[in-house]
Amino acid sequence: MSLLRFSTAGSVDDGKSTLIGRLLYDSKGVYEDQLASVAKASAGGSGGTIDLALLTDGLRAEREQGITIDVAYRYFSTPKRKFIIADTPGHEQYTRNMATGASTADLAIILIDARNGVLPQSRRHAFIANLLGIRHFVVAINKMDLAGFDQNVYNAILNEFTGFLDKIGAPKALFIPISARDGDNVVTRSERTPWYSGPALLEHLEDVPVIEELERLPARFPVQYVLRPNLDFRGYAGQVASGIFRVGDAVLALPSRRQTTITRIVTYDGDLEATAAPQSVTICLANEIDISRGDVIVPASALPHVSRRFRANVVWMNAKPLELGRGYVIKHTSHQVRGVVRAINYRMDVNTLARVGASKLELNEIGEISVETHHPVYFDAYAQNRVTGAFILIDPLSNETLGAAMIIDIEGKEETRGQVSAADRAARFGHKSAIVAVEDTESALLLERELFDRGANVAVAASPEPGTAQLAAAAGMILIVVGSVPENALDLRRTSTHEAVLKLGRSGILAGHEEQLIEGEGI
Amino acid sequence: MDHLDLLEAESIQIIREVAAEFQNPVMLYSIGKDSSVMVRLAQKAFFPGKIPFPLLHIDTTYKFREMITFRDEFAASIGAKLIVHTNQAAIDDGANPLRIGTQKCCGLLKTRALLDGLAAGGYDAAFGGARRDEEKSRAKERVYSFRDEFGQWDPKNQRPELWNVYNARVDKGQHIRVFPLSNWTELDVWQYIGRENIPIVPLYYAKPRPMVVRGASLIPIEQEFMLQPGEKAEMVMCRMRSLGCSPCTGAIRSEADTIDKIIDEMKLVRRSERENRVIDHDQEGSMEIKKREGYF
């Protein structure tokens, strides 16, 4: 049995609760005593009929006010699949809840009332679902019974909404004419829509492929936890974010950039030959290299972006607005970094799709921002990878989650197409340029090998000529010289290779963290 | 990967995240089937290492005797550190559900004891085995559920929770309740117990047990005070669907004496799991009210 997560959004009148109630009830996702307690709570109201909205509204305030405030998660299953519904309110003031529900969904059901046609709310839901990277869209045109099951009504909505989905770059949608109240095309195909040849809603939900898509992406393994139960075992625990890792794969650990191979994939139930997203496993590597929580293991052949500056779409979720220059904690996969928002490139008016200038973003507003972090972040564009492209912003003072962001790309990529700067080189090699003097050739070659294996741009100059240092600096290299100590050189003559590497790391020449690069002393 | 593999992978990710980000986590262990699954997931998360945090049992002293026996054997068998906390002052004052009512009894022996137990250990994160399908206010609960200095839950002001990126930041005195089984259903739990051969308390399996039959309810006779004048126990083929304190947990008539039979029973059952838990029905919205005050 597989698993599908889908989101719905809607308000009181569009039949969302009736649809969910029907899916739950028809698949026995709701129990008799729960129905009875709902009947008890709705007694005195509409009398006789059970209000299915009460099934999904879990908080007292919601039942009292007759509105959905927060995301509720609902569960049902058929013999083919288990389903998790993220059921969210539809009004503009609950945009953040819609985004929350959409963040884990594989599929979005957008409800359109056949009598009212496409409303701003339908567009907003589609926009947010697309922004949060949902790949499968279903447009359920509801209350077809009240529209006489008229194919023209269906076609008009299909044409109008397809145009909108194309405009925002959303995936192609399946349009299903339904009556949630009567059950037409919900679980089984309806005889009242002979002009519709597609599947019923539940059939489609049972058949949509989801997991396979994750496996085709470049492999990513964010390290959550280092397991060292005894001296003989060192493993990196985490959940495969995307792609497939196999024993024997050549991989690179970031930020150390050291290349190694996978020796074991360990689980409680025995070792595996291969692991695919989204399995939680423990990976062992051939070399004892310095990897800690927040690092990521990737294939040597498909690296993610590494940058301190990137652009992202953000949904703001707090009453305190997003402000430029303010320090935020950014949590991205399994690491936290400090960062600031350098620019709000625009605010998106979701109703008109207009890009509006803005100096701050208020609660429930969506915009594109430019972020700068204190340390480099290893990411893919959210459009390619929903795990490594997502982050949340946290207020370091109140600890509240303020916003959710989806990375678009490295900031200023176009600019770097011009002259290659020292900073560009440092960002690529992970170190600044330096000259290191050692005692003899043997030490020089050992150190070179050590640094080279860590991904450094390094060379030994046995007999440096005038101008060699300048050339090495221009190339962003670490130059190892034997014997005489040039001015400004690090002198590592009486240290072991291991200590030398440590020392280089401490002085910021061979460092994973850009902060150290800035403070470190190069040539 | 089937749905159980996916749920397992998700839960392990949550458990590891907590172990990595909090100073002093603890796993609440109630001896029930959900706790049994949660502990197995923790074993898997840190294999080949041991679970890097203790288990905490809030003992009301009204648990079934079979539960306590099972608890001690189970904790020892997996090499876990088990801490038991009881509100002894309230017990000494004679707190029991018949004398002071279920709401007060839960308040003292579960909620108060839990908050005191967490404070005593200085825990900043506490895993719980609650599931969102259990009860309607739990359907709104986050995986990381923030609790203030008084252990209170504010359902209208919860932190947004997107993807599997969790906000673990708390100030001193605050803590997070973490629910790694949020997306599991009762049937998922049983299927997983069956697939993984997870040991569970024998009370879940049907056998003839002494019960007082009171209307549609089957009341287990573990505590003398549960017998009303004129009542006497009779042997009934039954099992527990959900385990709590014996005075407040009804049994269900059942022939299911193996895991497979229980799973089949689950697929047909039309009544909810917590229907036999008296404390869920002592007032409208009662779970939400208890949870706001710090109840698990």
Side-chain angles (χ1 to χ4, degrees), chain A residues 248-267:
Chain A
D249 276 0
V251 290
L252 208 66
L254 297 173
S256 79
R257 287 165 186 271
R258 186 148 168 198
Q259 194 167 323
T260 181
T261 50
I262 295 176
T263 52
R264 285 180 69 188
I265 298 168
V266 177
T267 78

Side-chain angles (χ1 to χ4, degrees), chain A residues 211-464:
Chain A
I211 295 286
E212 299 78 5
E213 295 169 356
L214 262 184
E215 294 182 4
R216 284 197 287 270
L217 298 171
R220 303 284 182 253
F221 187 79
V223 174
Q224 277 188 280
Y225 197 91
V226 181
L227 277 169
R228 263 174 306 180
N230 56 58
L231 291 173
D232 301 325
F233 188 92
R234 184 189 182 91
Y236 305 99
Q239 184 174 23
V240 182
S242 56
I244 300 173
F245 288 94
R246 291 183 179 81
V247 171
D249 276 0
V251 290
L252 208 66
L254 297 173
S256 79
R257 287 165 186 271
R258 186 148 168 198
Q259 194 167 323
T260 181
T261 50
I262 295 176
T263 52
R264 285 180 69 188
I265 298 168
V266 177
T267 78
Y268 179 91
D269 304 293
D271 280 17
L272 305 175
E273 273 306 302
T275 181
Q279 281 182 300
S280 283
V281 296
T282 296
I283 286 179
C284 299
L285 301 171
N287 307 67
E288 286 253 330
I289 50 182
D290 179 25
I291 297 180
S292 48
R293 174 177 163 80
D295 294 358
V296 61
I297 295 171
V298 299
S301 54
L303 302 182
H305 297 295
V306 181
S307 180
R308 294 199 305 121
R309 290 188 300 277
F310 43 86
R311 289 181 297 120
N313 289 308
V314 66
V315 180
W316 202 249
M317 304 188 154
N318 198 275
K320 205 189 298 172
L322 178 151
E323 286 172 31
L324 297 179
R326 204 185 158 84
Y328 295 118
V329 171
I330 286 172
K331 187 167 182 197
H332 167 260
T333 65
S334 56
H335 60 135
Q336 288 187 27
V337 291
R338 294 278 181 147
V340 291
V341 177
R342 286 291 181 217
I344 298 170
N345 302 325
Y346 57 82
R347 179 176 70 75
M348 175 64 82
D349 182 324
V350 178
N351 294 324
T352 62
L353 299 184
R355 296 177 172 193
V356 189
S359 58
K360 56 183 181 177
L361 288 179
E362 305 278 357
L363 175 65
N364 289 315
E365 290 186 339
I366 296 171
E368 186 193 296
I369 55 173
S370 292
V371 179
E372 185 172 349
T373 54
H374 292 197
H375 299 302
V377 176
Y378 317 94
F379 64 85
D380 297 287
Y382 186 81
Q384 267 84 56
N385 194 314
R386 284 172 90 184
V387 180
T388 56
F391 65 90
I392 60 171
L393 295 114
I394 301 170
D395 186 337
L397 294 177
S398 71
N399 294 328
E400 288 179 301
T401 302
L402 302 174
M406 291 125 301
I407 300 176
I408 302 165
D409 203 351
I410 289 184
E411 177 77 77
K413 203 170 192 177
E414 293 75 15
E415 291 158 34
T416 61
R417 289 205 185 107
Q419 199 181 354
V420 178
S421 68
D424 290 341
R425 292 182 210 277
R428 168 168 298 181
F429 303 134
H431 60 77
K432 281 179 86 175
S433 176
I435 294 182
V436 182
V438 297
E439 193 113 83
D440 50 55
T441 309
E442 191 191 352
S443 309
L445 295 176
L446 264 174
L447 184 59
E448 182 189 29
R449 166 54 65 187
E450 187 65 29
L451 295 178
F452 183 77
D453 285 349
R454 294 188 172 212
N457 177 20
V458 59
V460 173
S463 49

Side-chain angles (χ1 to χ4, degrees), chain A residues 1-3 5 25 28-34 37-38 41 54-63 65 68-77 82 84 87 96-97 99-100 103-104 132 211 224-225 227 229 233 237-239 266-270 276-282 293 317 329 331-334 336 338 382 386-387 390-392 394-401 403-406, chain B residues 1-21 40 43-50 52 131-142 144 146 153 155-171 174 182-188 191-192 195-196 241 266-275 281 283-286 288-289 292:
Chain A
M1 194 156 84
S2 62
L3 175 67
R5 297 167 201 256
Y25 191 72
K28 299 181 186 170
V30 57
Y31 295 114
E32 284 168 8
D33 55 301
Q34 291 172 331
S37 79
V38 164
L54 292 171
L55 270 179
T56 52
D57 291 335
L59 301 177
R60 274 154 62 99
E62 292 177 322
R63 289 193 295 278
Q65 296 168 43
T68 310
I69 297 170
D70 208 337
V71 189
Y73 294 91
R74 300 279 150 199
Y75 305 85
F76 71 98
S77 56
K82 172 188 164 95
I84 301 177
D87 176 23
R96 64 171 173 168
N97 308 80
T100 301
S103 72
T104 49
L132 271 293
I211 295 286
Q224 277 188 280
Y225 197 91
L227 277 169
F233 188 92
Q239 184 174 23
V266 177
T267 78
Y268 179 91
D269 304 293
Q279 281 182 300
S280 283
V281 296
T282 296
R293 174 177 163 80
M317 304 188 154
V329 171
K331 187 167 182 197
H332 167 260
T333 65
S334 56
Q336 288 187 27
R338 294 278 181 147
Y382 186 81
R386 284 172 90 184
V387 180
F391 65 90
I392 60 171
I394 301 170
D395 186 337
L397 294 177
S398 71
N399 294 328
E400 288 179 301
T401 302
M406 291 125 301
Chain B
M1 292 173 84
D2 72 8
H3 69 295
L4 295 178
D5 298 325
L6 293 166
L7 291 171
E8 176 190 84
E10 173 182 295
S11 301
I12 289 174
Q13 188 260 346
I14 294 164
I15 292 168
R16 287 169 169 171
E17 204 61 13
V18 171
E21 286 208 311
R40 171 61 60 87
Q43 288 179 279
K44 290 197 175 194
F46 304 105
F47 178 85
K50 285 199 171 145
R131 309 184 321 267
R132 287 185 181 138
D133 78 324
E134 274 181 80
E135 204 279 337
K136 55 195 168 192
S137 66
R138 282 189 170 159
K140 301 264 166 172
E141 181 100 55
R142 303 289 188 256
Y144 273 40
F146 176 81
W153 182 52
K156 279 201 260 184
N157 193 23
Q158 298 192 77
R159 291 177 177 176
E161 192 167 84
L162 292 97
W163 305 290
N164 58 1
V165 185
Y166 301 106
N167 179 352
R169 296 175 70 92
V170 288
D171 288 334
Q174 303 167 339
S182 286
N183 286 324
W184 295 58
T185 62
E186 187 185 11
L187 181 59
D188 296 330
Q191 288 173 332
Y192 193 72
R195 185 178 94 171
E196 305 284 322
R241 186 168 167 198
M266 283 298 112
K267 286 178 177 166
L268 296 172
V269 73
R270 302 297 295 130
R271 314 287 294 179
S272 75
E273 174 184 5
R274 294 190 67 93
E275 188 188 21
H281 310 292
Q283 58 185 305
E284 145 55 25
S286 47
E288 182 182 337
I289 294 166
R292 280 169 176 272

Side-chain angles (χ1 to χ4, degrees), chain B residues 159-230:
Chain B
R159 291 177 177 176
E161 192 167 84
L162 292 97
W163 305 290
N164 58 1
V165 185
Y166 301 106
N167 179 352
R169 296 175 70 92
V170 288
D171 288 334
K172 202 167 162 50
Q174 303 167 339
H175 72 276
I176 303 268
R177 301 269 174 92
V178 183
F179 302 108
L181 304 185
S182 286
N183 286 324
W184 295 58
T185 62
E186 187 185 11
L187 181 59
D188 296 330
V189 165
W190 280 115
Q191 288 173 332
Y192 193 72
I193 287 170
R195 185 178 94 171
E196 305 284 322
N197 282 316
I198 296 172
I200 50 167
V201 184
L203 287 162
Y204 285 113
Y205 297 111
K207 76 168 193 189
R209 291 187 170 87
M211 293 280 154
V212 167
V213 182
R214 204 178 284 162
S217 305
L218 296 179
I219 315 288
I221 300 305
E222 287 249 324
Q223 310 287 344
E224 286 300 319
F225 60 75
M226 290 307 293
L227 275 177
Q228 288 174 8

